[in-house]
Amino acid sequence: MGCGLGKSEPLLKICHKAISAALLIQRWYRQHVARLEMRRRCTWNIFQSIEYAGEQDQIKLYNYFGFLMDHFTPASSERNLISHIFRKNEICLDTEWERYFCYKSIEVTKSYTGPHLTFPMTFCGVSKLVEAFKHKEQLHARYVLQLLGETWRLLRTFPNISHVIACHPKPITICGDLHGHLEDLLLIFYKNGLPSSDKPYVFNGDFVDRGKNSLEILLTLFGFLLVYPNDVHLNRGNHEDHIVNLRYGFTKEVLGKYRVHGKKILKLLQMIFSWLPLATVIDNKVLIVHGGISDTTDLDKIARVDRQKYASALRPPKMKVHGCMTKMNENREREACGQVEGRRRVCSLTYHSSAPDHRHDLPRRSLNNTPVCSKLDLSVDEKLNSRCRLSGFDQARCELKKSDSYLESKTTETDLDEWKQIVDVLWSDPMPQNGCIPNEVRGGGCYWGPDVTEEVLRRNNLQLLIRSHECKQDGYEFCHNRRVITIFSASNYYEVGSNRGAFIRMGPDLVPHFIQYQASTTCRELTLRQSVGWTERSALQALREQLFVHRSDLISAFQEFDPSNKGMISVTHWASTTERVLNLGLPWRVLRPQLVSSTQHGMMDYQQWIKELSITEPKLEISDNSILDTMYKNHSNLETIFRIIDTDHSGLISFKEFHQTWELLRSHLKTEISAKAIADLAQSIDFNKDGSIDINEFLEAFRLVDISAHN
């Protein structure tokens, strides 16, 4: 007995050491995973903040264009440049449609080796189309127009809200944003099967933009829709909007793939987008919308909306009450004229909120920063002229277009309410707090809380809300006591390894089952540490570009804390000032080690830091260097204006049109840019010296290179 105990003592010591070592390893591993998770979340915040900042810029620019349309005379040059993007779907009659799009006159030559389509579409035909797209083949323009035309005819027969029944033999598959990621759609079909009468699908909007194969995704989905109109359901997303497409790549994609017939394809797609249903309901219990809801969401009103009127949900209806502009237009003008302090305080499109919020207790301000209530005794002309002066416009050009504002468009309260219903459905996001407030981060829709979810679901006898609109790291996310699901189907959305994609299978029990995936084989081979490092480098590169283009503003702001001009400021001042200038809502002190190479005693050399951002730019020979800062900071806005001015979609604009592009941007930003500086820039960008500016020359002039990414 004694000997046995003696022999067991060393064994106990060994076990104790082994357990201690295991606990030490476990503690180290947990710390390692926690650090990786913190890095991943910071990376995610960078990507998302830059994405939402771009959406805000898009809405602000469009609001400015709306201001020009509402208040400039029809003969003004600025108004003429942009008026075509505000036209309604004027080609609606079948006879006019047939004459305008006339796909029958387009010949399919013998040299064409892509897929051939026959109509009416069959499952076999769409399957061959999917195979062709898988092998990067391009569909002939004749077939594209014919397929889109058939889709347009079919969509006009659909209600605003599609109703679906979940049966036991055929569960419903629900997909979120695809954003031009064809590889994700093909992977979904591989894992889940092609759409059919036994395999119904709901695709929840945002099929286009950002990815390279948006058109292929649309043609594939429309093909299956034509074959199975009762089993394939497409909801509209906020990116099914021709104005948004100007900025985020879909317009560029279509014109690049179809140079001859691209303009007709885009026009037809604009009409199709306006006819897409706004929601889908499964078994009268599950509501599926792209963005979300608000405290004023009314499904009965949504069901009655004349949805095709809203080719762009960004354009609110014009409305006048007793000669004074409505609050909605007042706010939009204030936004258009630059009265927004910081990116995080941008007004949302609809502006309304019933939730208590101290920001809304303050008196609303007009353009000259005096309370609106004190200006009510002014005439419309006086108010307008005041706004024009503050915006930097010539007062003579700002006559109120009475015929345009009062006679051409008679908008009622019903129209305004309809528009708000659509914007909230397409643009809103959930938040953890109760209430409903304007979505100041995106600039459109609202943030709604768990109490709003409960009320809307209770009022409509629903049990679950499924929405998309937000990229999630795991492809899906529950919130609001598991009454709201966000589903996102585009994997690697920001960068390879940034997120998984997912889709939902739902049977008659209405219990969601999630299937996750990663379309990139490269990412599947990476370890967690490698994946986080890959996406972190990409995010930091994007952030450095943002810092670089704002370098002049940053230096000016830093100098406020450097009165002796020694070039040194504290890290605290660096972090607060950088946030004040960029307004991205990022944890700058946490990011400081990745962005600032060295500090001494809590101080940093900000001038040296600006030099070390490792960004190079093309050498443009111009007399005024200040125009370069404006150019880089507003690259996306300039490209959007370029594509708007290029009305024939030729990819070329003249020097005169280029000057008008800058005039629009100058008025929007309320900044002074000399005509000579613009002329010098045009000459410098015209690399081939043909007297016009090509879109490729235009984009090359703005290309920034992160040297550190190539070393």
Side-chain angles (χ1 to χ4, degrees):
M1 294 286 291
C3 279
L5 286 172
K7 290 180 180 179
S8 65
E9 287 179 4
L11 185 61
L12 288 173
K13 289 181 179 179
I14 293 173
C15 290
H16 178 73
K17 288 182 179 180
I19 292 172
S20 298
L23 291 173
L24 187 64
I25 293 171
Q26 184 185 62
R27 189 182 304 119
W28 172 86
Y29 178 75
R30 286 176 175 173
Q31 290 174 349
H32 171 70
V33 172
R35 283 194 294 269
L36 285 178
E37 180 62 21
M38 184 181 70
R39 288 171 58 192
R40 191 172 79 147
R41 291 187 181 186
C42 280
T43 298
W44 191 261
N45 286 340
I46 293 171
F47 280 130
Q48 199 167 64
S49 295
I50 293 174
E51 177 190 4
Y52 290 171
E55 290 184 349
Q56 289 179 16
D57 285 343
Q58 165 79 13
I59 289 174
K60 285 195 288 186
L61 181 64
Y62 192 71
N63 284 344
Y64 167 69
F65 290 159
F67 176 76
L68 293 185
M69 288 297 296
D70 289 341
H71 300 128
F72 273 41
T73 59
S76 66
S77 59
E78 289 89 347
R79 192 176 186 276
N80 286 335
L81 285 171
I82 62 171
S83 60
H84 65 280
I85 67 172
F86 291 100
R87 291 173 190 154
K88 295 181 180 179
N89 290 337
E90 66 271 18
I91 301 171
C92 295
L93 299 176
D94 287 342
T95 54
E96 293 179 357
W97 175 89
E98 203 74 45
R99 188 163 55 250
Y100 180 79
F101 295 108
C102 61
Y103 68 88
K104 295 179 181 178
S105 65
I106 303 174
E107 181 185 0
V108 180
T109 62
K110 293 182 179 179
S111 60
Y112 171 68
T113 58
H116 292 264
L117 300 184
T118 57
F119 293 85
M121 293 286 289
T122 63
F123 178 80
C124 181
V126 186
S127 299
K128 290 180 179 178
L129 186 63
V130 171
E131 283 299 314
F133 289 155
K134 188 185 298 185
H135 294 93
K136 303 187 184 306
E137 296 179 22
Q138 184 168 305
L139 187 63
H140 196 279
R142 175 191 172 102
Y143 298 131
V144 172
L145 286 170
Q146 192 172 2
L147 192 154
L148 294 179
E150 294 297 325
T151 303
W152 174 67
R153 288 193 182 95
L154 178 63
L155 286 174
R156 291 194 301 166
T157 68
F158 287 179
N160 292 344
I161 301 177
S162 305
H163 287 268
V164 187
I165 297 176
C167 302
H168 182 68
K170 48 180 188 179
I172 295 171
T173 303
I174 304 159
C175 301
D177 298 34
L178 288 166
H179 278 302
H181 289 213
L182 181 62
E183 63 275 14
D184 286 301
L185 180 62
L186 296 177
L187 186 56
I188 291 171
F189 288 163
Y190 174 78
K191 287 177 170 288
N192 195 62
L194 295 174
S196 68
S197 56
D198 294 324
K199 192 80 67 175
Y201 275 82
V202 177
F203 294 94
N204 198 24
D206 276 12
F207 318 116
V208 302
D209 281 333
R210 294 197 167 97
K212 297 179 180 179
N213 299 108
S214 298
L215 187 57
E216 286 79 4
I217 287 177
L218 283 179
L219 295 174
T220 299
L221 297 183
F222 291 162
F224 281 114
L225 178 69
L226 292 173
V227 179
Y228 302 107
N230 297 318
D231 301 291
V232 175
H233 307 274
L234 308 180
N235 286 347
R236 184 178 182 178
N238 66 305
H239 278 262
E240 278 67 65
D241 186 311
H242 69 285
I243 302 299
V244 177
N245 301 154
L246 285 168
R247 185 186 186 102
Y248 290 104
F250 183 52
T251 299
K252 177 182 177 182
E253 176 191 332
V254 173
L255 295 175
K257 292 176 178 177
Y258 296 93
R259 295 186 179 275
V260 177
H261 302 286
K263 183 177 180 181
K264 290 183 179 180
I265 291 172
L266 286 171
K267 183 62 184 177
L268 188 47
L269 283 168
Q270 176 182 333
M271 297 163 61
I272 287 173
F273 288 165
S274 69
W275 279 105
L276 286 170
L278 301 171
T280 301
V281 175
I282 301 176
D283 284 354
N284 295 317
K285 291 296 180 182
V286 179
L287 173 64
I288 306 173
V289 294
H290 176 72
I293 56 177
S294 73
D295 54 353
T296 61
T297 295
D298 187 328
L299 295 186
D300 291 332
K301 289 182 180 179
I302 293 174
R304 295 192 302 268
V305 165
D306 186 6
R307 66 183 188 269
Q308 62 87 26
K309 288 196 306 186
Y310 302 93
S312 175
L314 298 180
R315 175 64 170 169
K318 288 181 289 187
M319 187 175 177
K320 300 290 186 294
V321 181
H322 302 302
C324 296
M325 306 197 71
T326 59
K327 183 184 293 187
M328 176 271 297
N329 277 336
E330 289 254 352
N331 278 290
R332 185 160 53 82
E333 289 158 24
R334 181 181 61 176
E335 169 66 12
C337 294
Q339 300 297 311
V340 179
E341 296 182 4
R343 194 181 299 281
R344 312 290 289 187
R345 282 290 175 263
V346 112
C347 293
S348 80
L349 285 169
T350 45
Y351 307 105
H352 299 300
S353 172
S354 62
D357 191 338
H358 69 276
R359 288 170 297 185
H360 305 293
D361 294 333
L362 299 173
R364 189 163 51 85
R365 315 297 286 187
S366 66
L367 282 174
N368 56 354
N369 209 33
T370 56
V372 169
C373 56
S374 67
K375 307 290 286 183
L376 290 178
D377 56 336
L378 292 179
S379 69
V380 174
D381 289 337
E382 288 172 325
K383 290 172 67 178
L384 179 58
N385 289 334
S386 172
R387 287 189 174 87
C388 291
R389 286 193 301 272
L390 289 164
S391 300
F393 300 135
D394 188 330
Q395 191 167 325
R397 293 185 299 173
C398 284
E399 299 175 10
L400 187 63
K401 309 188 288 75
K402 294 183 180 178
S403 62
D404 204 32
S405 299
Y406 291 95
L407 302 179
E408 289 182 9
S409 179
K410 295 181 180 179
T411 307
T412 65
E413 287 283 356
T414 302
D415 294 321
L416 182 58
D417 188 40
E418 282 184 358
W419 172 72
K420 185 183 185 306
Q421 295 285 336
I422 291 176
V423 172
D424 288 342
V425 162
L426 298 184
W427 281 87
S428 296
D429 293 304
M431 65 177 181
Q433 302 85 7
N434 284 338
C436 187
I437 61 174
N439 193 329
E440 296 178 342
V441 175
R442 288 189 191 269
C446 70
Y447 280 117
W448 88 92
D451 58 330
V452 176
T453 295
E454 291 294 332
E455 173 58 24
V456 172
L457 294 182
R458 182 199 62 77
R459 192 192 315 144
N460 294 280
N461 196 26
L462 299 166
Q463 64 185 43
L464 183 66
L465 169 63
I466 298 177
R467 44 91 63 176
S468 301
H469 195 42
E470 286 184 287
C471 182
K472 298 299 179 183
Q473 290 183 342
D474 294 319
Y476 73 94
E477 183 179 88
F478 280 100
C479 66
H480 293 184
N481 301 316
R482 300 179 72 86
R483 303 294 298 275
V484 174
I485 298 174
T486 298
I487 187 73
F488 197 87
S489 298
S491 65
N492 308 303
Y493 177 63
Y494 293 120
E495 179 57 78
V496 174
S498 63
N499 67 284
R500 294 179 180 180
F503 60 90
I504 298 172
R505 283 199 197 113
M506 181 174 287
D509 57 359
L510 302 182
V511 175
H513 300 276
F514 300 95
I515 295 85
Q516 298 169 290
Y517 53 84
Q518 199 105 35
S520 172
T521 55
T522 302
C523 183
R524 291 197 291 268
E525 295 169 356
L526 297 176
T527 64
L528 177 61
R529 183 175 182 178
Q530 290 171 328
S531 177
V532 170
W534 185 309
T535 54
E536 184 180 54
R537 284 191 294 274
S538 179
L540 290 172
Q541 176 183 341
L543 187 57
R544 286 192 187 97
E545 289 183 7
Q546 292 292 314
L547 292 166
F548 178 80
V549 300
H550 288 85
R551 61 192 184 280
S552 297
D553 295 335
L554 285 168
I555 290 174
S556 298
F558 291 151
Q559 288 173 345
E560 295 177 12
F561 300 99
D562 182 26
S564 58
N565 201 27
K566 294 181 178 180
M568 302 292 289
I569 59 171
S570 68
V571 172
T572 300
H573 287 152
W574 170 83
S576 61
T577 303
T578 303
E579 173 57 28
R580 177 159 54 90
V581 172
L582 268 69
N583 290 293
L584 292 175
L586 294 174
W588 294 102
R589 292 181 69 88
V590 175
L591 293 169
R592 195 265 308 164
Q594 283 82 17
L595 296 173
V596 181
S597 58
S598 63
T599 59
Q600 293 181 351
H601 310 294
M603 303 292 288
M604 61 168 286
D605 186 337
Y606 64 87
Q607 293 177 339
Q608 182 63 30
W609 173 69
I610 292 291
K611 294 177 182 178
E612 292 175 354
L613 284 175
S614 303
I615 301 290
T616 63
E617 53 189 312
K619 301 298 181 182
L620 300 176
E621 299 177 1
I622 60 174
S623 57
D624 184 1
N625 286 328
S626 65
I627 197 173
L628 286 177
D629 290 336
T630 304
M631 182 172 70
Y632 289 117
K633 278 190 288 188
N634 297 277
H635 171 203
S636 296
N637 281 344
L638 274 168
E639 183 179 350
T640 300
I641 298 173
F642 184 109
R643 296 191 182 281
I644 291 172
I645 289 179
D646 180 24
T647 55
D648 61 353
H649 299 300
S650 64
L652 296 170
I653 60 173
S654 66
F655 280 7
K656 179 181 178 181
E657 290 172 327
F658 182 75
H659 188 276
Q660 291 170 328
T661 298
W662 274 93
E663 280 298 309
L664 278 175
L665 184 68
R666 183 195 63 77
S667 298
H668 172 51
L669 298 176
K670 296 204 306 182
T671 186
E672 291 299 325
I673 302 173
S674 69
K676 185 179 186 305
I678 297 174
D680 289 347
L681 181 61
Q683 291 285 350
S684 184
I685 290 178
D686 183 18
F687 298 126
N688 61 7
K689 305 304 177 185
D690 62 353
S692 62
I693 297 176
D694 183 276
I695 184 65
N696 295 320
E697 295 174 339
F698 185 80
L699 295 177
E700 180 64 21
F702 294 110
R703 189 167 63 89
L704 300 175
V705 179
D706 186 346
I707 299 175
S708 63
H710 297 275
N711 291 336

